[in-house]
Amino acid sequence: MAVSRDDRTVYEGLFEHVKNELEKNNQILNCDKEGFLSQLGTAPKKVSYEEMKDLEGEAFLSCAFMAFFQRLPNDAEIETCKDLGKEEILKYLSNKASFSIRGIELTDCPYDVKPGLKGKIFGKAATVASSPALRKTAKKMPAGIQNKIRGTFR
Amino acid sequence: MKKIYLDVSMVMIGTNFTGVPRVVMELAKRLYNSGKFDINFVEYNQKNDAFRLLDTDGFIKFTETKTDKRNAIRTDKYIPFEEMEEGSIFFDCDTVWKTRVRRSFLYPILKKNGVKVVPFIHDIIGIDYPQFCENSDVMNFIDFIGASLLYADRIIVTTNTTKKAILAQGERMKMDLPDIAIVGLGGDFNRKTTNEENVKAKIKDIAAAGDYFLMVGTIEPRKNHKLLLETYQKHLRGKINLVMAGYSGQGMEDFFEKIANDPDCDKGLWHVDNASDDDINYLYKHAFAFVFPSYIEGYGLPLIEAFIREVPVIASDNDINREVAGERALFFEQDNSEDLAKIINELLSDEEKYKTLRESVKGYKPRTWDETGNNLIKEFEGIYGEKENCIC
C-alpha cells in the first residue's frame, strides 16, 4: 500500500532533514530517497512488487531491503547485488532466513519468488532460537559471537 | 468502558526491562489499576498477520515477574488491523518503530476505522541527531515519526525539549500538528541500600583509591565519554580520578584503546563493565560528583538517578539537561573540557561551593510513577471527553 502524495511530502521532509544532519556531521545516509519513499506503507507480510518495479539500482535495493526486512543492505550485500538483475536480487533476498521468518509474500510480481531452502531451514531454527531464555543466554556471549548469530538469521 | 489498545510486541520478546520497556510496564500497570479503561494488550502475530490479544491479568503479572515463560499470556484471539474497535484509543508507547507493523501502514487504517491514535514519543533523537544512530534505525524511526505527525489525535512526550523539537519539525514542513501533551516520567527508584557483601572487590578498591568523578551509562558516541577522558588527561590527572561505568557500545574501539594505553589505566582511570546494581549504587554513594557530558538524551534518567542518591551533578549545558536537572546541577559548555575542568577544580578547592552543591540535591524527590500514570489517564479522559462532546 503506497502512501498518499501529501503524506509522502512529510516523510520526504523528514528524510531530507536527516540527510542534512548527517552531512553536517560528515556522515552519509546509505539509503536512496526514492527507494525509501516507495516502501512506506508496506504491510508486514504482503509486499507488492508494484511499488518497486520502476526503481533501478540503489533505489531498488534500498526499497526491497526496507520492504522485506526493515533494514538497509550491508556492504557485502550491496557488493553481491551490484551486478544482479531485479529477478536475481529478489531471489537472493528470498533465500535469506529473514524472508522465511517474516513469512513474506511478494504480490503483483511477474517472477517466481518463493522462500529458498536455506532460508526455510534457518527460519525454522530462528523460531526455536527466539525464545527469551535463549536470547538472554546469547546476550551474555561476546559481541563478535552475538553478531555472527544475528548475521545467520538476517 | 473505554477501550485502549496497547501494542507490547517488543516487551513480549524483550530480555532487558530498563529504559522504554520499563516505561511501558509502569504505564500499563497504572492504566489497568485505574479501573477506568478496558485495556487490551496486543502483539503482532506473523502467522495470522493480525494483532494477538494477550491475557490482561497475565500481562500485568508479567510486568512484576518478568518471567521468560510468556506463552501463557498469549491467547488464541486475534484482531485484524481493520477490526480494531471504532471509538477506542490505540496507544503506542513501546519501541514500535522496531516492530514489523510499520506505522505508515497501520495508522491510516486505524484512522479510517475511527480509532484514535495516541503515540508516546520518547524523543526524536533519530531525527535531530541521526549521527548517533544506525541508518536502518533512522529509516524506521522516520516511518514512525512521519506517521505520528500525520495521523495522531494527540502526541504525548516526556519533556518540553522533545515537544519543542517536534513543533520545530512541524513548522519547518509547514504542517498542522496534533496536540502535544507533556507527561513526565516517574523516577521512584528504590533508594537501594547497597548490600556491601555483594559489591565486587574491584569496585571497593576503586572507591578507596581517592576522590573520583563518575559517569554511568553505555559507552557510546552520543554520551560523549571522550570529553571526560580528555578532561582527565589534559587537566585533572593526579588531582581526581575518573570512573566510567557502563556496557561497551559500538564504534568506541579508539576510545577503549586510549584508556588501555593511558598510564593511569586501572590506577586513576577506570572503565567498569558489567557492574551489578550493588556495584553501581556503591560507586554513586562514594562519588565526588556525577558528570554527565551527553550531547542529547531522551529524558536524562541518569541525572535523576544521581539526584536520588544525593550525588552532586555537573552536566553539559543543553536544553534537555537544563530541563531535567534545573537548578540542582552545575553546567559546563558542551564539548569544552577546560570549562568542565575549571568547575571540578573549583569544587575540589572550594569546600563551601562543593557543600552548597551537595546540599542542593539533599532530599530530592522525583516524580512518582503514580503521578505519571494519573497524568496519562487525564490525557486519555480528555481525548474521550472531546469525542463525547462532539456534536458532529
Side-chain angles (χ1 to χ4, degrees):
Chain A
M1 186 181 73
V3 297
S4 71
R5 185 174 292 196
D6 284 350
D7 286 8
R8 199 176 149 102
T9 307
V10 171
Y11 292 108
E12 188 173 2
L14 292 171
F15 184 97
E16 290 292 353
H17 173 74
V18 161
K19 190 165 177 271
N20 291 339
E21 287 302 318
L22 286 172
E23 282 169 3
K24 272 190 226 163
N25 288 281
N26 302 314
Q27 292 184 25
I28 50 162
L29 182 52
N30 288 317
C31 182
D32 181 90
K33 184 169 80 179
E34 278 309 309
F36 171 72
L37 295 174
S38 299
Q39 57 79 45
L40 289 165
T42 300
K45 280 177 81 170
K46 290 193 174 115
V47 180
S48 172
Y49 181 67
E50 195 65 27
E51 310 301 335
M52 60 182 86
K53 70 174 187 189
D54 296 329
L55 301 172
E56 297 294 336
E58 196 192 331
F60 181 79
L61 204 58
S62 295
C63 183
F65 265 87
M66 285 299 297
F68 294 154
F69 311 130
Q70 290 169 283
R71 70 173 177 89
L72 295 165
N74 60 33
D75 291 346
E77 288 163 334
I78 292 170
E79 184 63 25
T80 303
C81 294
K82 74 175 183 191
D83 296 322
L84 302 181
K86 288 179 189 173
E87 181 178 3
E88 292 160 309
I89 289 175
L90 292 174
K91 287 190 169 165
Y92 165 71
L93 298 183
S94 70
N95 205 30
K96 286 186 170 287
S98 195
F99 196 92
S100 288
I101 294 166
R102 289 167 173 256
I104 302 291
E105 294 168 28
L106 187 60
T107 61
D108 313 312
C109 182
Y111 313 121
D112 183 26
V113 178
K114 298 271 174 355
L117 183 62
K118 180 187 150 207
K120 279 184 183 170
I121 293 168
F122 280 113
K124 290 272 182 216
T127 310
V128 177
S130 66
S131 81
L134 284 175
R135 284 160 59 94
K136 208 183 268 181
T137 307
K139 284 201 167 177
K140 287 177 187 158
M141 294 175 177
I145 296 175
Q146 284 190 44
N147 287 338
K148 288 262 183 224
I149 295 171
R150 273 195 204 103
T152 306
F153 295 123
R154 292 191 96 179
Chain B
M1 204 184 284
K2 316 292 187 191
K3 186 169 274 188
I4 295 177
Y5 296 103
L6 207 169
D7 178 2
V8 292
S9 299
M10 294 308 292
V11 167
M12 283 298 285
I13 59 166
T15 55
N16 177 359
F17 300 108
T18 58
V20 172
R22 174 165 188 197
V23 175
V24 175
M25 290 178 163
E26 297 292 350
L27 296 182
K29 277 187 276 190
R30 268 76 189 181
L31 288 174
Y32 173 77
N33 291 336
S34 75
K36 292 181 174 177
F37 307 103
D38 171 15
I39 307 288
N40 289 254
F41 299 109
V42 296
E43 67 170 350
Y44 174 66
N45 177 262
Q46 180 247 312
K47 195 174 168 194
N48 290 280
D49 197 18
F51 281 122
R52 184 210 299 262
L53 197 61
L54 302 175
D55 178 71
T56 308
D57 292 335
F59 184 78
I60 293 298
K61 200 171 165 194
F62 167 66
T63 64
E64 299 294 344
T65 61
K66 300 177 181 69
T67 173
D68 289 338
K69 292 173 185 161
R70 295 169 209 175
N71 278 341
I73 306 171
R74 297 181 165 110
T75 73
D76 55 3
K77 291 177 193 146
Y78 298 91
I79 312 170
F81 306 122
E82 297 79 6
E83 293 177 22
M84 314 293 280
E85 194 173 297
E86 186 181 352
S88 60
I89 287 178
F90 190 89
F91 177 47
D92 261 337
C93 62
D94 204 352
T95 49
V96 294
W97 57 94
K98 295 179 179 175
T99 70
R100 293 185 196 173
V101 188
R102 292 168 179 78
R103 270 36 190 173
S104 63
F105 164 78
L106 179 67
Y107 285 177
I109 295 174
L110 297 179
K111 285 294 278 190
K112 192 177 157 202
N113 293 309
V115 177
K116 299 264 183 188
V117 174
V118 184
F120 192 104
I121 299 180
H122 297 268
D123 59 67
I124 61 163
I125 291 173
I127 303 291
D128 282 342
Y129 298 86
Q131 69 270 28
F132 298 127
C133 309
E134 290 276 329
N135 272 193
S136 294
D137 289 342
V138 171
M139 294 297 98
N140 289 317
F141 198 65
I142 290 177
D143 185 291
F144 168 60
I145 295 297
S148 297
L149 300 186
L150 286 161
Y151 291 98
D153 291 274
R154 184 167 302 187
I155 290 173
I156 297 178
V157 296
T158 59
T159 62
N160 193 40
T161 303
T162 299
K163 179 175 178 173
K164 281 199 289 189
I166 293 173
L167 289 174
Q169 289 299 333
E171 194 173 324
R172 191 179 59 79
M173 293 189 285
K174 297 183 174 46
M175 67 183 294
D176 293 330
L177 296 180
D179 286 344
I180 304 176
I182 301 172
V183 175
L185 297 182
D188 48 350
F189 311 102
N190 297 326
R191 233 180 265 226
K192 291 175 199 163
T193 316
T194 310
N195 186 344
E196 299 211 0
E197 280 177 17
N198 294 339
V199 177
K200 295 182 192 87
K202 181 189 170 183
I203 301 292
K204 288 180 179 171
D205 289 346
I206 290 171
D211 283 342
Y212 58 91
F213 60 108
L214 173 71
M215 166 69 176
V216 176
T218 302
I219 316 281
E220 57 180 321
R222 177 169 68 84
K223 300 279 186 186
N224 201 11
H225 289 79
K226 70 174 186 345
L227 182 82
L228 298 184
L229 185 59
E230 181 188 320
T231 308
Y232 175 82
Q233 290 179 327
K234 281 191 183 170
H235 309 287
L236 296 173
R237 193 188 294 278
K239 294 178 183 171
I240 187 168
N241 296 333
L242 166 61
V243 180
M244 293 172 282
Y247 292 110
S248 309
Q250 292 185 340
M252 297 297 288
E253 293 76 13
D254 291 351
F255 177 78
F256 289 119
E257 201 177 320
K258 273 187 188 166
I259 293 179
N261 292 334
D262 192 285
D264 288 352
C265 180
D266 288 340
K267 283 181 268 182
L269 167 65
W270 288 273
H271 167 224
V272 179
D273 205 353
N274 287 319
S276 67
D277 285 353
D278 281 321
D279 293 340
I280 294 290
N281 268 326
Y282 194 88
L283 286 171
Y284 267 118
K285 189 176 158 190
H286 293 86
F288 178 78
F290 178 75
V291 182
F292 201 55
S294 183
Y295 287 107
I296 181 68
E297 286 290 317
Y299 196 66
L301 233 39
L303 294 172
I304 310 238
E305 291 191 334
F307 289 149
I308 287 169
R309 292 164 173 97
E310 300 184 344
V311 181
V313 169
I314 308 165
S316 51
D317 194 355
N318 55 43
D319 288 350
I320 187 71
N321 287 349
R322 283 268 177 193
E323 184 177 349
V324 174
E327 300 296 309
R328 291 185 183 84
L330 294 178
F331 295 93
F332 62 92
E333 188 188 337
Q334 185 90 61
D335 262 340
N336 187 337
S337 65
E338 276 183 40
D339 198 27
L340 172 58
K342 187 171 159 246
I343 291 173
I344 293 178
N345 275 323
E346 278 173 7
L347 292 174
L348 283 168
S349 59
D350 186 340
E351 257 181 56
E352 264 317 296
K353 189 167 183 176
Y354 182 69
K355 202 176 149 196
T356 306
L357 186 62
R358 205 168 247 295
E359 286 297 319
S360 73
V361 293
K362 279 241 167 89
Y364 172 81
K365 283 198 175 68
R367 181 187 293 106
T368 65
W369 281 109
D370 283 342
E371 286 173 71
T372 302
N374 289 337
N375 291 337
L376 184 64
I377 288 163
K378 276 183 205 153
E379 291 301 324
F380 287 145
E381 287 175 335
I383 293 167
Y384 276 121
E386 283 164 15
K387 186 171 182 288
E388 279 163 5
N389 295 334
C390 180
I391 53 166
C392 47

